[in-house]
Amino acid sequence: MKNIILIGFMGVGKGSVAREVIKHSNYIAIDTDDLIESMENRKIKNIFEQDGEKYFRNIEHNISLWLEKSVKNTLISTGGGFYKVENLKKIGTIVLLDSPFDEIIKRIKAHPNATKKLKKRPLLNDMKKAKKLYDERRPEYLKLADIVVDVTNKSAKECTKEILKKVKK
Ligand code: S3P
């Protein structure tokens, strides 16, 4: 089984989809943001505030090397900027969870923990900047993806079915 790497913009639902995929398959799941938080023993928000984005990206880079070398049969969910690592293609099959910017924001705001979800993501502090980042990244996400799943108005379960079907092909 090749690794599956979930990429996509902040808040698109990578974590929820990852949790659903492992319920219906034999993949083990890891999340690059969770790994970073446990390696650093602090929240991403604090890493950004205390050491800056460059420091964070460097940890992502180190994790990408480890994933390529040492991780197999795994569903890897990533932070929204992780796709920039140089070796992404070598890590596994890249699955993009795709949705329009407004739909992603609507979805985060509808969540019972919306305030927390917005607060923990430093790059969503300023909506204008976040939209700009989305517009820059979306073509890059599409270019890298082996599989694109439009997640708009779909449950994590529906997305999972689609992913597992497409990965098997
Ligand atoms: C980031 C996305 C975040 C987290 C960090 C940076 C980004 O992960 O890695 O705040 O650059 O898009 P999520 O996509 O899980 O929110």
Side-chain angles (χ1 to χ4, degrees):
M1 243 164 35
K2 231 174 136 181
N3 294 323
I4 298 177
I5 315 162
L6 291 184
I7 65 166
F9 202 67
M10 290 171 269
V12 78
K14 290 165 290 188
S16 320
V17 169
R19 284 185 287 278
E20 195 62 34
V21 171
I22 56 169
K23 272 197 221 162
H24 302 278
S25 67
N26 293 322
Y27 287 96
I28 292 289
I30 55 176
D31 179 280
T32 58
D33 282 345
D34 290 348
L35 264 177
I36 293 172
E37 289 190 342
S38 72
M39 284 161 75
E40 290 279 316
N41 193 26
R42 52 184 174 151
K43 296 285 176 198
I44 285 170
K45 184 175 171 283
N46 295 331
I47 302 177
F48 268 69
E49 279 169 12
Q50 291 158 3
D51 288 298
E53 183 172 346
K54 205 168 165 207
Y55 178 90
F56 175 81
R57 299 299 173 202
N58 189 46
I59 311 174
E60 286 190 322
H61 169 78
N62 292 339
I63 289 179
S64 75
L65 300 180
W66 169 72
L67 289 171
E68 181 188 343
K69 240 184 165 178
S70 312
V71 174
K72 290 190 175 63
N73 306 326
T74 299
L75 177 88
I76 303 157
S77 53
T78 61
F82 187 84
Y83 76 99
K84 290 207 173 189
V85 300
E86 284 160 27
N87 62 343
L88 197 74
K89 286 260 175 211
K90 291 187 187 151
I91 299 173
T93 304
I94 303 169
V95 177
L96 169 65
L97 302 188
D98 189 38
S99 193
F101 181 75
D102 291 348
E103 292 294 332
I104 296 176
I105 301 305
K106 212 164 86 185
R107 189 195 157 101
I108 300 179
K109 289 193 171 158
H111 198 276
N113 272 336
T115 317
K116 206 173 145 204
K117 287 197 168 278
L118 285 168
K119 256 197 177 157
K120 75 170 195 179
R121 297 180 162 105
L123 299 176
L124 280 186
N125 281 346
D126 178 332
M127 277 300 151
K128 256 198 189 151
K129 279 192 189 157
K131 168 76 169 84
K132 193 165 166 265
L133 192 64
Y134 175 90
D135 289 340
E136 277 166 24
R137 282 181 177 177
R138 188 160 180 272
E140 298 177 356
Y141 286 146
L142 286 168
K143 214 192 244 176
L144 277 167
D146 298 307
I147 292 167
V148 179
V149 177
D150 181 357
V151 302
T152 314
N153 297 323
K154 282 183 198 154
S155 66
K157 208 172 184 172
E158 286 168 313
C159 299
T160 295
K161 265 195 196 158
E162 215 173 303
I163 292 169
L164 292 175
K165 206 165 120 193
K166 288 182 175 167
V167 161
K168 274 182 199 144
K169 272 186 190 161

